[in-house]
Amino acid sequence: MSDKIIKKEELQDFLKALKKAHEVFVPAKEKDFYRFNPLTDENKGDLNFTNTRLSPKSLLFPQSERIFEYTLDEESSDAHIVKESSKDYPSTVIIGIRPCDAKAMRLVDVNFNNPEFKDPWWVKHLESMTFIGLGCNEPCSTCFCTSVGCGPFNEEGLDVLLFDLGENFLARALTPKGEELLKQGGVDKDANSGLKKKADELKIEAENKISSHVPTDKLKEKKVDDLFNAPFWDDIAFACINCGTCTFLCPTCWCFDVQDEITKKQGDRIRNWDSCMFPLFTLHASGHNPRPEKVQRVRQRFMHKLKYYVDKYNNGVACVGCGRCVKSCPVNIDIREVFSLMNDL
Amino acid sequence: MSDNPYLPHPVRIEQITIETEDKNLRTFKLVFLNKADEEKFTFIPGQFCEISIAGKGEIPIGIASSPTEKGFLLFTVNKTGVVTKYIHNMQEGDIIGVRGPLGNWYPWEAMEGKNVIVIGGGFAFTTLRSSIVYMLHPDNRNRFKDIIVVYGARSPGLLLYRQELAEWEKRDDIKFHITVDATDDPDWQYNVGFVPTITEQKITTSKDSYALVCGPPIMIKFTQPVLEKVGFKPEQIIMSLEMRMKCGIGICGRCNIGDQYVCKDGPVFTLAQLNELPKEY
């Protein structure tokens, strides 16, 4: 682990140097919101943001991704045979990802990359990426990362963590990959002990600014059936319109659908984000549906994140406290309240 | 050779058999196009595959053939949704795909040295056929004690694998009780009555026994107390579940019951295991 200094006026030089060898994504303002866009001459990035509206999961788990292709042309000797689509995985650097979103990728990785099955696209996307995180000096009112095993300067999943010290960034290399990248970007000036101390203070200061807290300590010991049959689900789900916004914004929601699409005689097999909020998600061909009511689907979402995931992977809750679902829910369903209800049942 | 778990192996439809008089169930005999795929494909009765049709999609279907039947796979498909309707109109010689084997299997090691009671209803008899053929194979038959089967359908014309049923019924190393809910066939020589009723008459002890139960929910609902009455414990009752699935490998997230994915942690569960899970299936 080494701490280097990047002067703010030299940030663009650093990014340009990286761009010679990598695809570089930076936070960029689009209308009222931020998202990760490729670094270009026009888009130089803007690190004065709280967080992107959508989580950056789409960078390695695209909302829609072609996975296979085939031809239906009977003249062709390989008609109807499904084949892998060729795909490039250029080395990519993500600049300014927030610690919560980086941790989310570690939480999701246990699903896509498990001892029995490896999801090849997730694994290759992830391998091709280097994450340069930006710590949060000013967490939002909806952030509750420190309650869920994360924090405004959490290092998990990152290769480099940037501390915004005003005139400088302190760049803390966390992995050999991160170390190498800083070298490549011409960052070689060591941080002095004064700046290191300032960075450590900044971290504690930011952690203390988190005003939202949720309890998680009793989730593991609760009986599944007790939580499943708890009396509060109807109240939680009452206002829900099953719009799926929470699942699409969430950095730890990973559910997907697979669909075939044909243009003339060429076909693609495509995977698309899906959502447990939708009745079609579980509808059998026979018409039977294990989760036909919205209350069952709302319960599934929270049970998955706060109980099933906890039990299955022994890896904490499947929530990093980014607060996106709290902020964007059109009917103000607040996962922080659900934490309390479930934990304190 | 790809190790991509989503990539189907290409297969040819070798033979199509219409199973039921309503023509809603057909059995597809599939042969691998690549010898290497066939050699790598080893399965255990109870497992399933995703059948993959280019341009239509994939469906999870239990493997109806037994690993002791070499050179092909059998799948009996009920005409229900987009893919199953399409495959029902396909021809012998057509190319489709198979992905698998997927999921877990019946607990063959635990059942060794025990009586195996097979209870099936309607078209949920496919992996049970696989199991019966597997157990009756000369290499396996002496691994198990008595094999007793109760299999029923609404009417004689809706029973699957009728020719094989008739042969099994005549054998002395398996007790086979075929039944129908009702029939007006004066020559019907087997039982008439619902599966739970026939089970009650034929299965009188749970000693050293496992019951494999597959059928529609209503059959399971009324069979369960019959088995419990003769002393079957939840650990001795084995069931296989169905769910809407996509990936088949526990990743896409839709087929869960509690923290269990039916595609990967199932489809086979003991009643004891199901009792620990939320009632959401």
Side-chain angles (χ1 to χ4, degrees):
Chain A
M1 190 173 80
S2 69
D3 289 348
K4 305 282 182 192
I5 286 297
I6 306 173
K7 283 194 179 146
K8 280 204 176 159
E9 62 260 30
E10 287 167 7
L11 180 68
Q12 285 303 322
D13 298 336
F14 170 62
L15 298 182
K16 260 185 215 151
L18 293 183
K19 199 166 179 279
K20 284 185 191 144
H22 312 275
E23 307 263 324
V24 179
F25 280 78
V26 286
K29 197 167 186 191
E30 267 190 14
K31 296 187 180 161
D32 291 340
F33 300 99
Y34 283 83
R35 55 173 291 153
F36 283 93
N37 280 344
L39 179 75
T40 60
D41 290 341
E42 293 75 42
N43 174 33
K44 294 188 159 46
D46 175 0
L47 294 179
N48 293 311
F49 73 124
T50 50
N51 206 352
T52 52
R53 177 164 59 157
L54 291 163
S55 90
K57 70 180 172 187
S58 60
L59 293 170
L60 57 165
F61 175 40
Q63 184 159 6
S64 206
E65 180 173 34
R66 174 166 75 172
I67 56 174
F68 295 136
E69 56 194 54
Y70 44 81
T71 177
L72 303 179
D73 184 355
E74 301 296 341
E75 304 290 306
S76 168
S77 62
D78 56 0
H80 305 286
I81 296 181
V82 176
K83 296 186 167 167
E84 287 181 272
S85 300
S86 70
K87 195 169 278 186
D88 288 334
Y89 297 89
S91 175
T92 302
V93 182
I94 315 296
I95 306 282
I97 185 173
R98 292 297 186 181
C100 54
D101 291 333
K103 180 182 164 95
M105 288 174 195
R106 304 317 308 163
L107 295 180
V108 175
D109 195 56
V110 301
N111 179 59
F112 282 112
N113 185 5
N114 63 59
E116 292 117 306
F117 295 106
K118 309 230 168 293
D119 185 281
W121 305 285
W122 169 272
V123 169
K124 284 180 197 153
H125 278 301
L126 192 58
E127 276 171 0
S128 72
M129 289 187 182
T130 310
F131 297 102
I132 301 194
L134 175 62
C136 307
N137 292 9
E138 298 293 338
C140 315
S141 62
T142 45
C143 292
F144 56 98
C145 52
T146 49
S147 305
V148 288
C150 192
F153 286 84
N154 197 59
E155 297 174 351
E156 211 180 334
L158 291 173
D159 297 294
V160 175
L161 175 59
L162 298 178
F163 294 75
D164 184 343
L165 302 180
E167 289 168 11
N168 303 299
F169 287 111
L170 182 143
R172 179 164 291 170
L174 302 166
T175 63
K177 212 170 162 185
E179 199 105 35
E180 181 57 34
L181 201 78
L182 290 179
K183 218 179 279 170
Q184 251 181 35
V187 173
D188 53 7
K189 199 177 149 207
D190 285 319
N192 62 35
S193 57
L195 290 178
K196 282 188 192 189
K197 193 165 165 252
K198 205 173 157 192
D200 292 337
E201 284 165 7
L202 195 63
K203 178 183 171 187
I204 293 166
E205 224 174 277
E207 282 168 1
N208 289 335
K209 280 183 193 162
I210 303 269
S211 54
S212 241
H213 300 280
V214 297
T216 63
D217 55 316
K218 286 182 242 145
L219 289 169
K220 176 108 190 168
E221 71 200 42
K222 293 276 179 227
K223 283 208 177 98
V224 168
D225 256 1
D226 291 346
L227 288 172
F228 189 83
N229 297 313
F232 46 67
W233 294 114
D234 279 325
D235 281 346
I236 294 170
F238 176 74
C240 180
I241 54 173
N242 276 161
C243 66
T245 299
C246 48
T247 56
F248 280 10
L249 298 178
C250 178
T252 68
C253 272
W254 65 63
C255 291
F256 63 84
D257 186 17
V258 180
Q259 290 290 333
D260 280 36
E261 287 183 13
I262 311 167
T263 311
K264 292 186 180 158
K265 287 179 175 167
Q266 299 306 308
D268 294 321
R269 188 156 286 169
I270 293 168
R271 92 153 142 207
N272 303 311
W273 288 358
D274 206 343
S275 170
C276 58
M277 288 295 108
F278 304 152
L280 270 180
F281 188 62
T282 48
L283 178 66
H284 295 202
S286 65
H288 172 67
N289 192 346
R291 295 197 276 268
E293 305 295 332
K294 78 172 176 184
V295 61
Q296 296 161 323
R297 300 193 287 272
V298 169
R299 174 174 59 189
Q300 161 64 19
R301 173 172 149 75
F302 291 120
M303 285 292 279
H304 186 206
K305 293 205 177 296
L306 309 188
K307 183 58 183 166
Y308 304 153
Y309 184 94
V310 174
D311 288 353
K312 197 173 185 76
Y313 302 107
N314 206 15
N315 195 26
V317 292
C319 173
V320 291
C322 73
R324 284 187 180 88
C325 59
V326 180
K327 238 187 234 176
S328 294
C329 177
V331 297
N332 291 329
I333 294 175
D334 191 331
I335 193 171
R336 294 170 299 181
E337 290 167 18
V338 183
F339 265 100
S340 298
L341 286 167
M342 286 177 67
N343 191 72
D344 303 335
L345 177 72
Chain B
M1 179 83 342
S2 170
D3 52 6
N4 187 328
Y6 298 89
L7 189 68
H9 306 302
V11 292
R12 192 182 63 247
I13 301 177
E14 178 99 330
Q15 193 182 22
I16 302 174
T17 310
I18 297 172
E19 292 286 353
T20 52
E21 65 186 4
D22 63 3
K23 297 193 173 67
N24 263 327
L25 284 125
R26 290 174 196 232
T27 296
F28 296 83
K29 183 178 186 180
L30 306 180
V31 176
F32 287 93
L33 291 194
N34 304 321
K35 198 78 193 156
D37 291 344
E38 182 183 336
E39 282 161 8
K40 249 177 73 181
F41 191 101
T42 53
F43 72 100
I44 304 174
Q47 290 192 284
F48 71 98
C49 285
E50 286 281 348
I51 301 215
S52 176
I53 297 180
K56 292 292 161 187
E58 298 190 319
I59 42 165
I61 304 282
I63 306 172
S65 53
S66 157
T68 53
E69 299 172 296
K70 303 288 184 197
F72 61 90
L73 295 172
L74 296 178
F75 294 92
T76 303
V77 179
N78 184 30
K79 190 164 80 177
T80 315
V82 174
V83 179
T84 54
K85 276 182 192 140
Y86 190 85
I87 198 175
H88 265 249
N89 287 323
M90 292 186 92
Q91 307 292 322
E92 289 170 1
D94 285 349
I95 303 298
I96 60 172
V98 156
R99 202 149 65 72
L102 302 170
N104 67 353
W105 45 83
Y106 296 122
W108 295 108
E109 281 184 15
M111 292 191 294
E112 213 150 293
K114 310 278 193 216
N115 304 311
V116 180
I117 317 297
V118 176
I119 302 169
F123 47 80
F125 199 64
T126 59
T127 59
L128 296 181
R129 179 203 176 271
S130 171
S131 302
I132 291 166
V133 173
Y134 174 76
M135 287 188 287
L136 290 180
H137 190 272
D139 287 353
N140 296 327
R141 181 59 193 89
N142 59 11
R143 289 167 56 198
F144 308 97
K145 284 164 74 180
D146 293 350
I147 303 172
I148 308 174
V149 182
V150 177
Y151 173 44
R154 271 177 289 151
S155 65
L158 293 179
L159 288 162
L160 299 179
Y161 319 123
R162 265 167 295 171
Q163 202 176 332
E164 284 177 311
L165 296 182
E167 289 163 17
W168 288 330
E169 211 268 339
K170 292 194 194 90
R171 290 175 71 135
D172 58 7
D173 55 354
I174 180 169
K175 282 181 210 144
F176 217 104
H177 306 288
I178 303 168
T179 184
V180 291
D181 295 354
T183 178
D184 49 15
D185 177 0
D187 299 325
W188 177 250
Q189 50 185 317
Y190 308 110
N191 302 282
V192 176
F194 295 122
V195 168
T197 315
I198 304 301
T199 303
E200 193 162 20
Q201 292 166 13
K202 309 292 181 186
I203 311 298
T204 49
T205 173
S206 61
K207 193 168 178 292
D208 279 343
S209 300
Y210 277 92
L212 306 183
V213 185
C214 288
I218 189 81
M219 183 204 96
I220 291 175
K221 186 180 167 188
F222 288 103
T223 303
Q224 207 176 301
V226 168
L227 291 174
E228 281 164 359
K229 216 164 99 184
V230 291
F232 276 89
K233 301 206 162 44
E235 293 77 18
Q236 293 168 273
I237 301 177
I238 319 287
M239 304 207 260
S240 180
L241 301 189
E242 292 186 324
M243 275 286 173
R244 185 186 180 118
M245 294 175 189
K246 290 286 177 172
C247 73
I249 54 176
I251 293 183
C252 82
R254 75 196 56 239
C255 70
N256 75 298
I257 303 171
D259 69 352
Q260 299 287 294
Y261 290 115
V262 173
C263 71
K264 182 175 149 190
D265 305 312
V268 175
F269 295 93
T270 65
L271 181 58
Q273 288 170 321
L274 290 178
N275 285 344
E276 295 294 309
L277 295 173
K279 302 287 165 287
E280 194 174 57
Y281 45 89

